[in-house]
Amino acid sequence: MTRLLGGREATLAAACLVAALVFAAASPVFLTPGNLLTVLRNSTELLLAALGMTLLLAMGAIDVSIGMAMGLAAIVVGQLLMAGIDPALAGIAGPLAGAALGLVAGAVVAFGKIPAIVATLGLLGVYRAGIFLTLGGAWLSGIPTGLTDLVATPVLGVPPAIVLIGLAYLAVFVLLRRTPFGPHLLAVGNSDEKARLSGIAVTRIRLMTFVVAGALAGLAATFYIATYRNVSMTIGATLPLEAIAAAVLGGTSILGGRCTLVGTVLGVILIRLMQNGLLLVGVPSLWQPVVTGAMLLIVLGLEAGAGSEGLRRLVRRPA
Amino acid sequence: MTARLRQSPTLAILAGLWVLLVAGIALLSPGILTASTLTTILQFSSILALVSLGQALVILAGGAGIDLSVGGIVSLASVLAMMAVSAGLPATLLPLACLGIGLALGLGNGLLVTRLRILPLIATLATFYVFSGSAVALTGGAAQSGVPAAFTPWGRGALAGIPLPFLTLALPLFLVAGVVISATSWGRWLVAMGDNERSARLVGIPVDRARLIVYGLSGLASGAAAFVSLAWLGSARPNIGQNLELTSLTAVLLGGVSIFGGRGGVAGVLAAVLLLVTLQTALLRLNINTVWQVGIVGALLVAVLVADALTTRRR
Amino acid sequence: MLRQLKLTLFAATLLATGALPASADPANTVAFVPQLIGIPYFNAMEEGGKKAAADLGVEFIYSGPVDTNPVDQLQIVQNLIDQGVGAVSVSVLDASTIAPVVEQAKAKGVKLFTSDSDAPDSGRAVYVAQATDQGLGYAIIDEMVERVGEEATVAIVSGEATASNLNAWIGFMQERAKDKYPKLTLLEPQYAGGAADRAAQIATDLMAANPDLKGIIGVASTTCPGVGQAIETAGKIGSVIGTGYCSPNTARSYLKSGSFGYSVLWDPAKLGYLTVWAGKQLIDGKPFEASVQLPGFDSPTTYDPATGILLLGEPAVFTADNVDQFDF
């Protein structure tokens, strides 16, 4: 449990709380259930993409093509729906397509022996061209509403998508903490050389992680279609960097070997909470990227700076 | 020359690809091979070349070095410098303002990396958001016009078919960087610390200070690119640096610089920049949908690196 | 290894050359460079341009950037000029996209002009306009007030903050609100970039922030689906009216669901047709007459020599009732 709620999570939770209090004081709308649901709804794709990114970073990899993978999966889901396929099947096609694309990225990294950032940078270009060529320059629009219930009808006040995302997090948590996959993944993240020497099938772990991350991006695509019923050329362009920011804010190390799922959730929530709150209090949306960058700098800077220990103690004492 | 080529296989590959490309164009559409095409290619290489030079130095110096904020620096430096001129800064100081702002922003990255020990990927991801976001937010997205007319003849001019920004700025800087890296102790430090940081520290190389300077230089190069964009376009565009982080990274890696640092040189980077821009130009001349550029460049990057990784392992 | 690379590049070259043949006669070619490729609006202009090219016996090239980056657009324009294309029309992202090449174009005898988005005072030969910026800005506000009344709060969601034509329209919206509807509250414009999901996110946040919000205007055609979807998802159909400058095909499902009250646009295919026609006139060295009736056009197009603007006509307003009569 101490592992689960380490220093960074406490810092982030406190940051979310402070931000929420400030916004609530400045705008009467902020704390209404409707608005909080909006924040959650706006977080769906990022929650899933950041979860996949967390796993990749923990393994010492990264995937900057994840947004384009979501885009391609979204085209698959959208076109199946438009072809009149049963919505449930079309919805499942999202994660499947994502997993296939993740396998491609994993194979290039694992067999091509090139750093993940370079490999996925290349794939980013290839996928982007792929999106354009499959769309043929037009948008997918007017996609049938078959999946809309996923994001609309609240079950106990929460859309089913959020429940599904919770289940995805739970599944990944079990995978990490209750199966050998977790320790193996972290071992590869710490040092793939040592992992190999200790008998871990490094290549298989690599492939599996990319496949899981891809499937999560594909699930994000299903929710994307359910929410927007439209695919345009620019789909997913900002997703990878936001996912990296969220995971790193949460306390996952990009050097590998360390990850926290709670931290990632808090990182996503903090980013979206700030975007929503700033708009509510009247700060133009153009400043949002600046705020995202500043948050990264502040959180990491605080931790790096001398004051970090004191701050951590300050946050921990009540607990 | 042959010895040099043997030393760096990437340079040979790039040269080969370039020749192949030009030969391909000559076959398909001979009308393209004119002097004005060369001018166009070099003109559109200038900004990318400058930014890639800074990026190359940062990656060469190792320590997981990378600068994702280069495009943000180009945008912010050009916007801020023009705002300063509008606010009364003497127009003659415009180039200095660009360089100074670029240097300052780059040093900011360097401090984050060397003092706060934030990993470069994350530190410059954060400053990418801050710099590029600020450039758009400060201006509300509007272009800042009013670049003094005295600069545009340089920005748009050419001597013997070679654009002046390339001839008088980008090319000399690459030469200087090449000489510094191969012939000065400072340059050898850079490669040494990229190759093996621990032993570099052990032999007394001031790794942190050198790295701080390298990030500063990357900012400086981006500031220079910002000035080129001002003198060329005649106005400051808040999103002028869009995508430069990814394109420059592509050029540097394609140019044979190892992402882990310590291996590669600036000649390959210049070759890669020229290859990329030639490819773009060729595809445009053949009236091929621009989206192919994106896909081909991506595939090329993966292909070259996979080939490189596989042959290196065999060696 | 080298062989592998050669094969890759060769295959790419083959694929690429299979895609499009080089144009036959550069001097008899009209090119159009959009702000961005891969969006239905400019695709429709391309279709119109092709039709005009077939009617008028000229070659037509359509080539634009993948990102809304001025340098990428400039690179395309520069290469068209180097090719010696007869006339090049550009929907400029900003005046800077053509400023460096105006002199070169003149020297090479290439007719450089703007279409869809203008760069005044740049030395362009003519501007082919869909409607005046003023007319567009005023029309969307007038239609909105007709539906929500004068005492209302209305939000603006735009695309790229750097697109000069979108900013001009917003400027005229604000001017109209200030001059004619003093009681109308126009919120500060927000910018979604080119992404539909960002537009939806911002629209949702705006509805939450302003419970009394009556309307949302999606300025870029890329923002329309996001705005419409956000109103549907938030369950605000009927209480918030969405609109934007988007084509009937893009707006259709939102007009029918009621999340959009109306949409304002011209026919981009006609604009594409007019663009190529204007290019042909310039190549042939024929002057523009004050009023010309083109085949298939509902009303004559007008030319104002003082401003150098060739005007398509008034923008059309699409509603749930008439949207099915259009297909673009």
Side-chain angles (χ1 to χ4, degrees):
Chain A
M1 202 58 198
T2 39
R3 183 97 188 261
L4 201 74
L5 281 173
R8 182 68 71 81
E9 288 91 335
T11 315
L12 275 189
C16 284
L17 210 64
V18 170
L21 286 176
V22 171
F23 290 137
S27 159
V29 188
F30 182 78
L31 274 184
T32 56
N35 186 53
L36 293 179
L37 186 63
T38 297
V39 173
L40 214 53
R41 205 179 253 141
N42 283 339
S43 310
T44 44
E45 290 103 48
L46 188 55
L47 275 170
L48 289 165
L51 177 58
M53 195 63 85
T54 303
L55 291 178
L56 289 167
L57 293 177
M59 196 189 59
I62 199 168
D63 189 349
V64 292
S65 72
I66 210 159
M68 299 298 141
M70 181 187 88
L72 282 172
I75 293 174
V76 171
V77 177
Q79 275 178 340
L80 286 178
L81 278 177
M82 288 175 101
I85 302 286
D86 183 69
L89 287 178
I92 292 168
L96 286 180
L101 292 168
L103 186 65
V104 172
V108 174
V109 171
F111 298 120
K113 310 278 179 205
I114 52 178
I117 186 165
V118 191
T120 56
L121 183 62
L123 284 179
L124 169 77
V126 177
Y127 287 175
R128 197 158 182 224
I131 288 178
F132 187 91
L133 295 171
T134 38
L135 285 179
W139 294 338
L140 285 188
S141 49
I143 297 171
T145 52
L147 289 169
T148 321
D149 285 350
L150 273 179
V151 285
T153 334
V155 179
L156 305 172
V158 182
I162 299 296
V163 178
L164 284 173
I165 290 172
L167 288 177
Y169 268 82
L170 192 66
V172 171
F173 181 82
V174 169
L175 199 63
L176 275 180
R177 301 277 192 251
R178 298 281 178 272
T179 70
F181 175 74
H184 287 179
L185 179 142
L186 295 177
V188 174
N190 269 320
S191 158
D192 57 347
E193 209 52 45
K194 279 184 197 149
R196 187 170 292 124
L197 288 176
S198 61
I200 295 172
V202 173
T203 305
R204 208 176 66 210
I205 296 288
R206 278 227 171 91
L207 284 176
M208 256 183 85
T209 311
F210 270 98
V211 168
V212 172
L216 289 168
L219 187 59
T222 298
F223 293 146
Y224 185 97
I225 292 294
T227 315
Y228 305 115
R229 296 194 291 117
N230 174 285
V231 180
S232 66
M233 257 286 277
T234 51
I235 184 170
T238 55
L239 195 64
L241 293 188
E242 275 194 320
I244 295 169
V248 170
L249 266 180
T252 296
S253 161
I254 62 158
L255 287 181
R258 183 156 58 95
C259 76
T260 140
L261 302 187
V262 178
T264 299
V265 174
L266 288 171
V268 172
I269 301 283
L270 183 59
I271 289 178
R272 289 290 189 247
L273 206 63
M274 292 295 285
Q275 291 177 343
N276 170 274
L278 287 174
L279 204 69
L280 253 55
V281 300
V283 178
S285 52
L286 289 178
W287 287 102
Q288 287 179 1
V290 181
V291 172
T292 305
M295 277 192 311
L296 264 178
L297 288 181
I298 291 169
V299 170
L300 294 170
L302 274 183
E303 189 174 75
S308 72
E309 271 312 306
L311 184 91
R312 264 190 220 160
R313 254 176 273 130
L314 197 77
V315 181
R316 263 188 203 158
R317 197 171 291 155
Chain B
M1 189 64 190
T2 36
R4 178 145 190 151
L5 282 183
R6 216 177 300 129
Q7 234 177 17
S8 100
T10 354
L11 206 55
I13 298 176
L14 291 176
L17 279 175
W18 197 81
V19 168
L20 203 73
L21 186 64
V22 173
I25 304 165
L27 274 175
L28 288 168
S29 174
I32 296 178
L33 294 179
T34 61
S36 73
T37 308
L38 180 73
T39 311
T40 301
I41 291 175
L42 294 179
Q43 180 79 59
F44 283 90
S45 302
S46 301
I47 290 180
L48 180 59
L50 286 168
V51 172
S52 302
L53 179 61
Q55 182 80 270
L57 294 179
V58 167
I59 294 181
L60 260 180
I66 195 167
D67 191 347
L68 293 182
S69 72
V70 283
I73 296 181
V74 177
S75 301
L76 190 55
S78 54
V79 163
L80 284 182
M82 274 315 294
M83 284 178 145
V85 169
S86 307
L89 184 83
T92 43
L93 293 180
L94 184 64
L96 281 181
C98 287
L99 294 174
I101 294 166
L103 179 66
L105 297 177
L107 287 175
N109 282 333
L111 287 175
L112 290 173
V113 171
T114 55
R115 292 287 154 78
L116 292 184
R117 306 261 162 226
I118 302 179
L119 284 164
L121 181 78
I122 302 303
T124 59
L125 172 65
T127 53
F128 155 78
Y129 275 123
V130 174
F131 297 162
S132 55
S134 302
V136 178
L138 285 173
T139 56
Q144 308 293 302
S145 55
V147 173
F151 292 117
T152 41
W154 177 77
R156 295 172 192 174
L159 185 70
I162 317 258
L164 291 177
F166 188 84
L167 187 68
T168 59
L169 191 60
L171 198 59
L173 283 182
F174 264 89
L175 288 175
V176 169
V179 169
V180 167
I181 286 175
S182 56
T184 69
S185 54
W186 199 82
R188 280 192 291 269
W189 286 357
L190 212 66
V191 179
M193 65 193 246
D195 192 40
N196 189 334
E197 184 164 337
R198 191 182 297 176
S199 37
R201 279 184 200 277
L202 283 177
V203 298
I205 296 175
V207 169
D208 282 342
R209 203 177 59 205
R211 189 159 286 147
L212 176 67
I213 292 172
V214 160
Y215 280 93
L217 288 177
S218 175
L220 194 66
S222 295
F227 178 65
V228 171
S229 85
L230 290 180
W232 181 28
L233 301 178
S235 64
R237 289 273 317 200
N239 67 340
I240 190 75
Q242 193 185 24
N243 289 343
L244 271 179
E245 55 286 339
L246 294 186
T247 331
S248 67
L249 199 56
T250 306
V252 169
L253 297 171
L254 206 55
V257 176
S258 162
I259 185 86
F260 303 114
R263 196 166 71 93
V266 292
V269 175
L270 186 58
V273 168
L274 294 179
L275 177 70
L276 286 178
V277 180
T278 309
L279 186 68
Q280 286 171 357
T281 306
L283 293 176
L284 280 176
R285 288 303 176 78
L286 298 170
N287 295 323
I288 291 158
N289 197 324
T290 42
V291 78
W292 280 102
Q293 291 175 12
V294 181
I296 291 175
V297 167
L300 197 65
L301 179 63
V302 172
V304 167
L305 278 140
V306 167
D308 197 46
L310 294 181
T311 46
T312 314
R313 211 155 44 98
R314 222 174 287 141
R315 236 183 272 144
Chain C
M1 162 172 77
L2 211 54
R3 192 181 307 145
Q4 280 174 331
L5 289 171
K6 277 183 184 167
L7 278 177
T8 318
L9 198 74
F10 188 62
T13 320
L14 271 187
L15 264 175
T17 43
L20 262 176
S23 72
D25 178 14
N28 191 33
T29 301
V30 181
F32 174 61
V33 182
Q35 295 183 341
L36 181 70
I37 56 169
I39 69 173
Y41 173 79
F42 285 119
N43 284 355
M45 277 190 75
E46 181 188 8
E47 289 309 313
K50 275 185 190 157
K51 186 164 175 291
D55 288 359
L56 303 170
V58 290
E59 302 283 331
F60 176 58
I61 294 176
Y62 172 83
S63 180
V66 184
D67 294 294
T68 51
N69 183 326
V71 174
D72 290 355
Q73 195 182 34
L74 175 61
Q75 188 175 18
I76 293 166
V77 176
Q78 171 84 63
N79 274 293
L80 288 165
I81 292 172
D82 285 356
Q83 275 180 54
V85 165
V88 179
S89 52
V90 189
S91 170
V92 296
L93 280 161
D94 176 278
S96 64
T97 356
I98 57 169
V101 291
V102 170
E103 292 307 316
Q104 280 179 44
K106 280 203 183 113
K108 281 201 103 177
V110 175
K111 312 291 180 204
L112 187 63
F113 64 107
T114 54
S115 172
D116 180 63
S117 169
D118 195 17
D121 310 322
S122 62
R124 43 100 173 129
V126 62
Y127 167 45
V128 182
Q130 58 276 54
T132 59
D133 291 341
Q134 186 182 20
L136 287 167
Y138 283 14
I140 210 156
I141 292 292
D142 291 346
E143 292 285 332
M144 182 58 87
V145 168
E146 208 167 276
R147 286 166 175 81
V148 301
E150 218 179 296
E151 288 181 55
T153 307
V154 173
I156 298 173
V157 181
S158 187
E160 298 289 349
T162 48
S164 56
N165 57 341
L166 304 185
N167 291 339
W169 299 344
I170 295 174
F172 282 111
M173 286 182 213
Q174 287 163 336
E175 183 184 296
R176 184 64 157 185
K178 200 165 142 232
D179 293 352
K180 194 167 175 198
Y181 311 108
K183 288 179 188 155
L184 184 73
T185 312
L186 269 189
L187 298 177
E188 278 297 302
Q190 305 289 346
Y191 301 90
D197 52 339
R198 282 288 292 142
Q201 195 187 331
I202 288 173
T204 317
D205 286 346
L206 281 170
M207 283 186 281
N210 305 280
D212 59 339
L213 195 68
K214 286 287 192 316
I216 305 179
I217 300 172
V219 183
S221 69
T222 48
T223 55
C224 286
V227 168
Q229 201 58 53
I231 294 172
E232 281 181 21
T233 312
K236 295 255 187 179
I237 290 178
S239 59
V240 177
I241 290 181
T243 185
Y245 298 106
C246 38
S247 73
N249 284 353
T250 303
R252 181 170 289 117
S253 73
Y254 305 116
L255 287 170
K256 297 222 161 145
S257 76
S259 59
F260 263 36
Y262 63 102
S263 161
V264 175
L265 202 75
W266 49 97
D267 185 342
K270 294 243 166 63
L271 185 60
Y273 193 102
L274 187 61
T275 301
V276 171
W277 177 83
K280 175 73 175 159
Q281 292 288 108
L282 289 170
I283 291 176
D284 294 348
K286 290 184 197 156
F288 295 107
E289 286 161 32
S291 173
V292 182
Q293 179 68 47
L294 289 180
F297 281 49
D298 299 331
S299 56
T301 54
T302 55
Y303 178 70
D304 179 355
T307 54
I309 293 178
L310 186 65
L311 195 61
L312 178 65
E314 291 301 307
V317 176
F318 307 104
T319 62
D321 299 330
N322 71 3
V323 66
D324 281 334
Q325 298 162 24
F326 305 93
D327 182 28
F328 61 89

